[in-house]
């Protein structure tokens, strides 16, 4: 996160103010973090200190067969520190050193309370040795390869006492030909070397600020730079070193295939034909000349070609429509982002044959889609001449640089910059959008503008637990919230399962590389190491349809020598995406702010414009989550442990607003209950502000943050235990694909359609209720709701209820015939100025009735049989036999009101939930009687 003051700005004039050229002075980073241990008086404190011991074993392990030619080597490892007398532990692979030590009982759960502080910070200051004894599968006359999908920070790989190679950087694979070293019984050792500059973590407490946001660890990028400690995660004691991704052993005959690249090109705006171009690297591992047939099976099409390779030679072959007309596909099934269509995925398989015998097979999953981008660019010689272009990367062959220079920029008012073309005039093949001076980026998929709604992942998990079972529910929560994009902040979530899941759920990925804020954080020291990791990441993930943008760093430009290399690498190794030179300012709105704003109208009047990659606020989780985070003694009053879990920004306006609107909290449950009410409103307002100006100039908003890397009290749309909060349901409401909303700054009504389907003769109604359930006003109108647009609705109501003293509810509803498209509701304080009269309401008991069940989805009708409004209704699911909440579970709505006699349909999705013999519908809310109200099997 940030150490920058927001430059509040409004609509940007296209008038240039200053030209910044590539020769400008590049500001050096200043943040070295702590130079000595923190003053003990400022450290957080609590009461617990528990430790357990570990056990080890040492036998020869059988590799786990995953295919005919590939075996997993994840099981059976032991690890110890590289120092005399060090104890051995059964290692968790994939996993970090800290993962192993926690799983072995050496340390208590670091995510609970202040347990992280009880772990010595020397784990990241020593070498660690992993050892695996394994039996080699019988593979006669084949070449054997060891594959390391990811280690951190550096490793030597030693097989049977022979050093077979080194891996450097957290994001580069290690692939080693071990044919000459493999035996029947093998000992594989991996020596993990820590980063050179691990730094000293800052520990948040009530007596400190949130610290320096990293430090000297940034010098060692490519690594997990936030693991030194940031304002959303404490210092991770091993800095995530270890074997953090899978290890495989594979066998291949003489002709080996690798690094497939698939380009899918549509004849836009026509999407009824796609041209597929596939490149594959082919290597001859033998000492003799070889002829091979390479067969490609892609999206149901089979083509082949011959290749002849000299001894130990390697070359790239290409399958193109010009040579293979069958690679022009009619009416292809396209990959679309969430809400715009199905994210359809295809399989491509390349197989090498020698004299009819299969030698190797390579598979890639991909989507047929084409990316394009709209943005404003300046003329190189006349910077006051600016054109908005529709940039199609595939029109620029992959061995060409980008058509503009990020190092030579034109500054516009409001802190926005635009790049300049590399030549005096823009290229003829560059499509110009006439009479449009909007400077902001628009992302397009298959020729359609995509509203980029989403959030930042600072890191997927603070200890890099990145299994599919761990990560998938988080991605599904993004999908269900209506999000279309995740920003992989400084590239700290760079593993295959992350991109796989984003492919499957239709979530676009903005992918940073591994360094942070220009002029503040330190620059990576080793350019070659940095670029080696960059190149491997590009090659490894370039076929994922979800990945749409490469970006050098967080909040800043790459230093000039790295910028040149990044442009070259992204264009030559990919060529199908946008490389954007800065995560803010360059065709983007300045990022931030990141703290709570009690007046949600400021999002509409002062912030909503363009494309913002970061905007955030406080988000304290539910009572149930807080109790998983710390000991009871630390829960109330707000303690140091809250601050250690990132509460610093909760001081001030956040607490003051809760107290003034709802009455001073008297307990942790009371505080968390009231916090959900303002979390809902503030998070909904952010996205509704951008909704209100959709395509006028707004095109994207990414929350800082949508995802927590560890149990936190700030910057999250859900909590790390998968619990959905007021923030989540506020965002889910605002990001509905068909959405009706009230604009906070002027109380006008707008209807949003972020799909590719028109809706005709849509009915929009407004109904206003007093707290006593009297209807104060109702009105209905009809509109046409065009696809991918914002439509103003001719309804007004404030004059009708301006004299209302007590809180009242405004409910908007949008229907197509009998189908409800959107229900949205807003509480107003009335003249009282507070919602404290909610505290005088009777507690309400709700009812639930099962409507239908389809597979893993169950539909319920929730009703309020009382004479009192039920406010802030939250639905949970429990395992009745165990009397505990089931998570993850996906619920269609939350934090809504049920007026007396009303019903609401709620859908519950158990697709990724633990199984239970009997489920229970559990409800709570502001004045809702807690408990299970319905059980079902």
């Amino acid at each position: 996160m940030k150490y920058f003051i927001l430059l509040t700005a409004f609509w940007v004039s296209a008038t240039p103010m200053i030209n910044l050229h590539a020769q400008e002075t590049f500001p050096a980073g200043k943040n070295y973090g702590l130079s000595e241990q923190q003053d003990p008086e400022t450290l957080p404190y609590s009461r617990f200190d528990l430790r357990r011991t570990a056990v080890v074993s040492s036998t020869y392990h059988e590799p786990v067969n995953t295919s005919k030619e590939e075996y997993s080597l994840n099981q059976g490892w032991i690890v110890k520190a590289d120092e005399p007398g060090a104890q051995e532990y059964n290692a968790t692979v994939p996993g970090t050193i800290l993962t192993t030590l926690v799983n072995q009982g050496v340390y208590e759960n670091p995510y609970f309370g202040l347990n992280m502080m009880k772990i010595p910070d020397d784990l990241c200051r020593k070498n660690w040795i992993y050892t695996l004894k394994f039996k080699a599968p019988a593979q006669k006359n084949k070449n054997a390869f060891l594959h390391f999908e990811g280690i951190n920070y550096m490793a030597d790989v030693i097989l049977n006492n022979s050093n077979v190679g080194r891996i450097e950087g957290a994001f580069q694979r290690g692939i080693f030909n071990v044919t000459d070293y493999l035996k029947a019984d093998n000992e594989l050792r991996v020596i993990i070397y820590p980063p050179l500059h691990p730094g000293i973590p800052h520990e948040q407490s009530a007596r400190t600020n949130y610290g320096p946001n990293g430090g000297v660890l940034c010098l060692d990028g490519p690594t997990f730079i936030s693991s030194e400690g940031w304002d959303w995660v404490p210092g991770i004691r091993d800095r995530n070193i270890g074997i953090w991704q899978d290890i495989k052993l594979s066998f291949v005959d003489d002709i080996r295939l690798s690094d497939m690249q698939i380009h899918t090109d549509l004849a836009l705006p026509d999407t009824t034909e796609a041209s597929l171009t596939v490149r594959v690297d082919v290597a001859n591992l033998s000492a003799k000349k070889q002829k091979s047939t390479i067969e490609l099976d892609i999206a149901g099409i089979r083509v082949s070609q011959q290749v002849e390779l000299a001894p130990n030679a390697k070359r790239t072959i290409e399958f193109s429509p010009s040579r293979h007309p069958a690679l022009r596909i009619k009416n292809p099934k396209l990959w679309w982002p969430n809400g715009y269509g199905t994210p359809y995925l295809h399989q491509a398989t390349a197989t090498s044959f020698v004299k009819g015998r299969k030698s190797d097979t390579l598979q890639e999953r991909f989507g047929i889609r084409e990316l394009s981008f709209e943005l404003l660019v300046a003329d190189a010689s006349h910077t006051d001449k600016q054109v908005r272009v529709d940039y199609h990367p595939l029109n620029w062959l992959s061995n060409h640089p980008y058509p503009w220079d990020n190092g030579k920029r034109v500054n516009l008012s409001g802190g926005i910059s635009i790049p300049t073309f590399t030549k005096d005039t823009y290229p003829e093949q560059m499509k110009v959008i006439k009479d449009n001076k909007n400077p902001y980026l628009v992302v397009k998929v298959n020729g359609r503008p995509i509203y980029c709604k989403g959030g930042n992942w600072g890191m997927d998990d603070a200890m890099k637990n990145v299994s599919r079972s761990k990560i998938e529910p988080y991605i599904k929560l993004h999908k269900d919230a209506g999000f279309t994009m995740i920003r992989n902040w400084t590239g700290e979530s760079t593993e295959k399962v992350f991109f796989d899941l984003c492919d499957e759920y239709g979530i676009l990925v903005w992918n940073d590389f591994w360094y942070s804020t220009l002029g503040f954080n330190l620059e990576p020291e080793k350019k070659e190491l940095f670029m080696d990791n960059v190149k491997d990441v590009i090659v490894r993930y370039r076929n994922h349809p979800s990945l749409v943008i490469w970006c050098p760093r967080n909040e800043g430009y790459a230093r000039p020598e790295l910028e040149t290399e990044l442009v070259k690498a992204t264009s030559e190794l990919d060529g199908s995406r946008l490389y954007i030179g800065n995560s803010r300012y360059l065709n983007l709105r300045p990022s931030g702010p990141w703290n709570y704003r009690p007046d949600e109208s400021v999002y509409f009047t002062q912030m909503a414009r363009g494309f913002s990659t970061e905007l955030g606020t406080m988000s304290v989780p539910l009572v149930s989550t807080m109790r998983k985070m710390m000991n009871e003694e630390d829960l109330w009053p707000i303690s140091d442990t809250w601050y250690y879990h990132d509460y610093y920004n909760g001081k001030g306006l956040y607490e003051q607003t809760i107290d003034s609107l709802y009455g001073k909290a008297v307990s942790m449950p009371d505080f968390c209950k009231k916090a959900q009410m303002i979390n809902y409103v503030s998070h909904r307002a952010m996205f509704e502000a951008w909704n209100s100006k959709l395509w006028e100039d707004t095109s994207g908003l990414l929350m800082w943050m949508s995802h927590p890397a560890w149990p936190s009290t700030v910057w999250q749309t859900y909590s790390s235990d998968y619990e959905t909060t007021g923030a989540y349901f506020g965002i889910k409401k605002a990001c509905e694909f068909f959405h009706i909303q009230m604009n906070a700054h002027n109380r006008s009504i707008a209807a949003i359609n972020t799909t590719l389907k028109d809706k005709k003769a849509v009915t929009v109604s407004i109904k206003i209720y007093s707290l006593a359930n009297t209807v104060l006003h109702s009105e209905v109108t009809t509109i046409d709701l065009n696809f991918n647009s914002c439509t103003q609705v001719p309804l007004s109501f404030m004059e009708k209820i301006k004299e209302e003293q007590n809180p009242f509810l405004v409910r908007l509803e949008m229907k197509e015939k009998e189908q409800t498209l959107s229900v949205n509701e807003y509480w107003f304080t009335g003249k009282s100025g507070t919602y404290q009269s909610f505290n005088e309401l009777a507690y309400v008991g709700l009812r639930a009735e099962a409507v239908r069940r389809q597979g893993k989805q169950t539909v319920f009708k929730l009703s309020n049989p009382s004479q009192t409004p039920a406010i802030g209704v939250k639905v949970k699911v429990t395992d009745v036999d165990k009397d505990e909440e089931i998570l993850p579970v996906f619920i269609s709505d939350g934090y809504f009101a049920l007026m007396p006699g009303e019903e609401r349909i709620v859908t519950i999705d158990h697709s990724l939930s633990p199984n239970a013999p009997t489920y229970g519908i559990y409800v709570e809310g502001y004045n809702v009687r807690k408990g299970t109200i319905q059980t079902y099997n």
Side-chain angles (χ1 to χ4, degrees):
M1 255 287 298
K2 331 294 145 211
Y3 269 77
F4 284 81
I5 299 171
L6 172 70
L7 296 174
T8 302
F10 301 89
W11 168 250
V12 178
S13 161
T15 303
M17 299 178 67
I18 304 171
N19 287 340
L20 297 177
H21 299 278
Q23 297 91 334
E24 67 186 286
T25 300
F26 194 83
K30 303 171 183 176
N31 176 26
Y32 285 83
L34 300 185
S35 58
E36 58 185 24
Q37 294 294 332
Q38 193 172 330
D39 180 352
E41 292 298 318
T42 69
L43 293 174
Y45 60 88
S46 187
R47 301 179 179 177
F48 282 69
D49 186 9
L50 301 175
R51 297 220 175 158
R52 294 198 292 266
T53 57
V55 296
V56 301
S57 64
S58 180
T59 58
Y60 284 90
H61 292 266
E62 296 285 349
V64 178
N65 188 201
T66 57
S67 73
K68 189 175 180 180
E69 292 88 16
E70 188 173 273
Y71 298 81
S72 169
L73 294 182
N74 289 348
Q75 303 299 316
W77 291 85
I78 60 172
V79 68
K80 66 175 183 176
D82 186 10
E83 55 192 17
Q87 184 175 354
E88 293 184 336
Y89 302 100
N90 290 326
T92 300
V93 175
T96 64
I97 295 296
L98 185 54
T99 305
T100 288
L101 296 177
V102 170
N103 289 346
Q104 290 289 285
V106 179
Y107 304 117
E108 287 296 298
N109 175 11
Y111 291 174
F112 185 81
L114 303 182
N115 285 349
M116 186 76 77
M117 290 185 59
K118 303 168 191 171
I119 302 170
D121 199 47
D122 67 348
L123 303 183
C124 60
R125 303 173 198 278
K126 62 182 75 172
N127 301 341
W128 293 82
I129 302 175
Y130 285 82
T131 304
L132 172 69
K133 295 181 178 181
F134 70 96
K135 293 183 177 293
Q139 295 281 349
K140 188 176 181 180
N141 299 323
K142 294 218 173 191
N143 298 280
F145 283 82
L146 271 175
H147 303 253
F148 288 80
E149 299 300 312
I151 61 90
N152 186 37
Y153 172 68
M154 188 180 297
D156 280 326
V157 179
I158 301 163
L159 180 61
N160 298 322
N161 295 318
S162 295
N163 193 322
V164 300
R166 171 167 281 194
I167 312 168
E168 298 185 76
F171 307 103
Q172 184 168 213
R173 294 168 294 180
I175 303 174
F176 307 106
N177 188 332
V178 295
T179 308
D180 295 337
Y181 310 105
L182 197 66
K183 302 176 182 179
D185 292 337
N186 300 274
E187 183 177 87
L188 177 60
R189 285 189 296 140
V190 179
I191 304 175
I192 295 289
Y193 304 105
L196 299 175
H197 307 92
I200 301 172
H202 174 271
E203 317 292 7
Q204 292 188 50
S205 75
R207 295 165 300 289
T208 69
N209 62 18
Y210 46 70
N213 276 2
V216 292
L217 185 59
C218 289
L219 294 170
D220 297 326
T223 188
F224 305 105
I225 60 174
S226 66
S227 64
E228 187 178 349
W230 226 263
D231 52 9
W232 44 269
V233 67
I236 308 304
R237 291 329 199 230
D238 65 348
R239 307 299 188 269
N240 298 130
I241 63 172
I243 303 174
W244 73 278
Q245 293 204 59
D246 294 325
I247 309 171
K248 296 180 291 187
L249 176 67
S250 70
F251 295 90
V252 61
D253 282 347
D254 288 342
I255 304 300
R256 181 172 180 265
L257 305 176
S258 63
D259 297 335
M260 186 186 299
Q261 181 180 21
I262 305 168
H263 278 169
T264 60
D265 190 4
L266 302 174
L268 296 174
D270 183 12
T271 59
T272 61
E273 181 177 288
S275 296
L276 308 184
T277 300
V278 181
R279 299 181 184 92
V280 183
D281 288 351
V282 186
N284 179 7
L285 303 178
S286 73
K288 63 181 180 180
K289 184 189 294 185
Q290 295 271 16
K291 290 183 179 180
S292 177
T293 299
I294 312 300
E295 186 176 280
L296 176 67
D297 189 335
I298 183 167
I301 299 163
R302 183 168 292 180
V303 294
S304 65
Q305 60 178 280
Q306 303 292 318
V307 61
E308 186 172 310
L309 292 169
N312 300 306
K314 181 178 180 180
R315 60 181 284 197
T316 301
I317 65 168
E318 179 176 279
F319 295 86
S320 65
S322 60
R323 183 170 180 177
H324 305 280
L327 294 177
R328 291 189 179 92
I329 302 177
K330 297 291 185 182
N331 300 312
K333 292 182 177 178
L334 302 178
W335 187 93
W336 288 99
N338 186 27
Y340 288 88
T342 301
Y344 199 88
L345 294 169
H346 301 266
Q347 190 79 19
T349 303
T351 308
S352 59
F353 294 90
V354 177
K355 296 180 180 180
R357 180 181 174 183
K358 185 173 75 169
S359 179
D360 195 14
T361 299
L362 180 65
Q363 289 188 325
E364 284 283 345
R365 196 173 62 167
F366 70 101
I368 297 176
R369 62 100 179 93
E370 183 174 346
L371 300 173
S372 54
F373 306 87
E374 293 182 11
L375 65 165
L376 194 69
V377 187
D379 190 286
S381 58
H382 304 285
T383 54
D384 58 339
K385 182 181 179 183
Q386 299 154 14
V387 292
R388 187 164 179 82
V389 297
D390 189 0
Y391 168 56
H392 292 245
L394 287 178
N395 290 350
W396 301 81
L397 298 178
S398 59
N399 61 350
H400 282 64
Y402 294 101
W404 48 73
D405 184 351
N406 293 322
K408 185 179 180 182
R409 302 179 292 277
V410 173
N411 278 1
L412 309 181
S413 61
I416 310 301
S417 298
I418 61 174
T420 61
F421 284 110
T422 52
K423 297 182 179 180
D424 288 346
T425 58
Y426 54 86
E428 291 183 1
Q429 65 264 50
M430 184 70 68
K431 181 181 177 182
V432 173
I433 303 169
K434 294 182 178 180
D435 302 321
N436 191 327
K437 295 298 183 181
N438 175 9
Y440 297 113
L441 172 70
V442 170
V443 175
K444 299 168 78 173
V445 176
N446 304 329
R448 301 288 193 173
I450 305 300
Y451 184 20
C452 295
K453 305 170 287 182
N456 287 258
W457 284 41
M459 190 188 289
D460 35 34
D461 182 76
M463 288 169 58
K464 295 307 294 181
N465 179 355
V466 293
S467 65
R468 185 182 181 96
S469 60
K470 172 80 173 182
I471 300 299
E472 184 172 8
Y474 295 133
I475 302 290
K476 180 169 167 53
L477 284 167
H478 278 65
K479 174 187 179 292
D480 288 358
F483 281 166
T484 56
M485 179 175 275
I486 291 172
R487 178 178 170 218
N488 185 12
W489 181 87
T490 70
E492 301 205 20
S493 300
T494 301
E495 63 274 340
K496 186 174 185 296
V497 68
F498 171 76
F499 293 103
D500 281 346
L501 288 166
C502 288
D503 291 345
E504 295 165 20
Y505 284 97
I507 307 296
L508 304 174
V509 177
W510 172 305
N511 201 84
D512 292 349
F513 295 120
W514 312 284
Y515 71 124
S516 191
T517 313
L518 175 62
F520 177 72
N521 288 113
L522 301 172
E523 301 284 314
E525 282 189 327
K526 298 180 181 179
K527 184 185 86 169
E528 292 78 14
L529 174 60
F530 188 93
M531 287 307 306
D532 285 347
N533 278 247
V534 165
K535 291 172 185 176
D536 198 56
V537 163
I538 293 171
V539 169
R540 189 175 179 181
Y541 298 117
R542 63 191 174 187
N543 294 322
H544 288 269
S546 58
L547 205 165
V548 296
I549 286 174
W550 300 113
C551 186
R553 70 188 300 173
N554 172 58
E555 296 180 335
Y557 299 93
R559 66 177 185 255
E561 65 271 24
L562 265 181
E563 172 73 6
T564 300
E565 293 294 318
L566 286 164
V567 167
K568 187 173 186 290
T570 54
S571 60
E572 291 183 357
L573 298 177
D574 182 1
S576 66
R577 295 172 174 85
L578 176 66
Y579 170 78
I580 192 166
N582 194 323
S583 73
R584 60 176 180 181
Y585 300 141
L586 191 64
N587 296 114
L588 301 166
R589 171 195 179 278
S591 51
W594 301 273
N595 48 8
Y596 178 70
R597 294 293 194 268
D599 178 7
E600 61 267 25
S601 70
V602 301
Y603 293 117
F604 292 78
T605 58
Q606 298 181 27
M607 300 178 197
R609 60 187 178 94
F611 194 126
S612 176
T613 57
E614 295 187 20
L615 182 67
T617 186
M618 281 296 297
S619 184
V620 167
L622 274 63
V623 174
S624 54
T625 299
M626 292 297 297
R627 286 185 169 137
K628 297 174 189 175
M629 289 168 60
M630 62 190 73
N631 298 297
E632 192 72 27
E633 294 86 347
D634 291 327
L635 285 170
W636 195 258
I638 291 172
S639 67
D640 273 1
T641 309
W642 285 57
Y643 284 87
Y644 195 71
H645 289 262
D646 317 319
Y647 185 72
Y648 182 79
N649 277 308
K651 292 194 297 188
L653 286 174
Y654 188 72
E655 287 184 15
Q656 293 168 19
T657 302
I658 290 172
D659 291 348
S660 63
L661 284 181
Y662 294 96
K664 190 170 183 61
V666 296
S667 65
M668 184 275 295
D670 190 39
F671 183 82
C672 290
K673 176 183 77 172
K674 292 170 177 175
Q676 303 318 307
M677 303 296 284
I678 67 169
N679 290 350
Y680 185 100
V681 171
S682 60
H683 286 78
R684 176 179 62 180
M686 293 180 188
F687 283 95
E688 289 192 336
W690 261 254
N691 290 348
S692 70
K693 299 178 182 178
L694 183 61
W695 308 130
E696 292 178 21
D697 65 336
T698 60
S699 53
L701 175 62
L702 306 182
M703 294 295 302
W704 184 265
M705 307 160 74
S706 60
H707 173 80
W710 92 306
S712 182
T713 59
V714 70
W715 299 322
Q716 56 190 339
T717 58
Y718 47 75
S719 43
S720 61
D721 60 354
Y722 308 110
E723 183 66 87
T724 46
T725 61
Y728 179 81
F729 283 107
I731 286 172
K732 180 175 168 65
K733 183 60 63 178
C735 294
E736 296 172 314
F737 303 130
F738 301 106
H739 178 63
I740 188 70
Q741 70 179 52
M742 179 192 307
N743 298 325
H745 64 303
N746 61 11
R747 311 306 183 203
S748 61
I749 310 298
I752 317 299
N753 177 357
T754 52
T755 76
L756 299 180
K757 298 177 182 178
D758 287 332
K759 294 288 185 181
K760 301 297 183 183
V762 171
T763 299
V764 178
S765 64
I766 184 169
K767 189 173 283 190
I768 303 174
Y769 298 86
S770 72
L771 207 54
N773 198 32
T774 302
V775 176
L776 302 174
H777 175 70
S778 64
E779 193 174 346
V780 179
T781 192
T782 302
I783 62 169
D784 289 337
L785 190 54
N786 296 327
F787 73 89
N788 217 11
S789 69
C790 172
T791 302
Q792 298 305 309
V793 181
L795 289 174
S796 61
F797 63 93
M798 290 305 291
E799 285 296 317
K800 313 265 192 215
I801 41 87
K802 64 182 181 181
E803 298 302 321
E804 187 67 16
Q805 179 66 31
N806 294 316
F808 57 90
L809 179 71
V810 176
R811 179 175 290 150
L812 305 172
E813 187 169 12
M814 184 164 64
K815 285 187 172 184
E816 182 187 36
K817 298 180 180 177
E818 296 303 312
Q819 180 188 4
T820 299
L821 300 176
S822 174
V823 177
N824 197 2
E825 52 196 31
Y826 302 80
W827 283 102
F828 286 82
T829 64
K831 286 187 170 183
S832 71
T834 79
Y835 299 111
Q836 294 191 31
S837 53
F838 288 176
N839 301 328
E840 301 168 7
L841 295 174
Y843 271 74
V844 173
L846 303 181
R847 292 176 182 168
E849 176 187 349
V851 176
R852 63 181 179 277
R853 185 154 190 189
Q854 298 173 328
K856 290 283 191 175
Q857 283 197 345
T858 306
V859 179
F860 281 87
K861 183 191 297 179
L862 203 64
S863 61
N864 177 5
S866 77
Q867 299 301 308
T868 303
I871 297 171
V873 178
K874 162 71 173 172
V875 179
K876 296 184 175 185
V877 177
T878 62
D879 182 326
V880 174
D881 293 342
K882 295 181 180 179
D883 191 27
E884 61 185 32
E885 184 179 4
I886 291 176
L887 290 170
V889 68
F890 308 95
I891 299 173
S892 61
D893 205 355
Y895 294 96
F896 52 85
L898 275 178
M899 301 305 285
E902 281 190 339
E903 300 172 343
R904 179 74 61 101
I905 295 295
V906 176
T907 301
I908 296 171
D909 180 349
H910 300 98
S911 57
L912 300 177
S913 306
N915 290 323
T918 306
Y919 297 95
I921 300 298
Y922 181 96
V923 294
E924 60 187 35
Y926 199 93
N927 68 321
V928 175
R929 193 173 299 125
K930 297 180 181 180
T932 301
I933 58 172
Q934 175 76 48
T935 59
Y936 62 104
N937 296 320

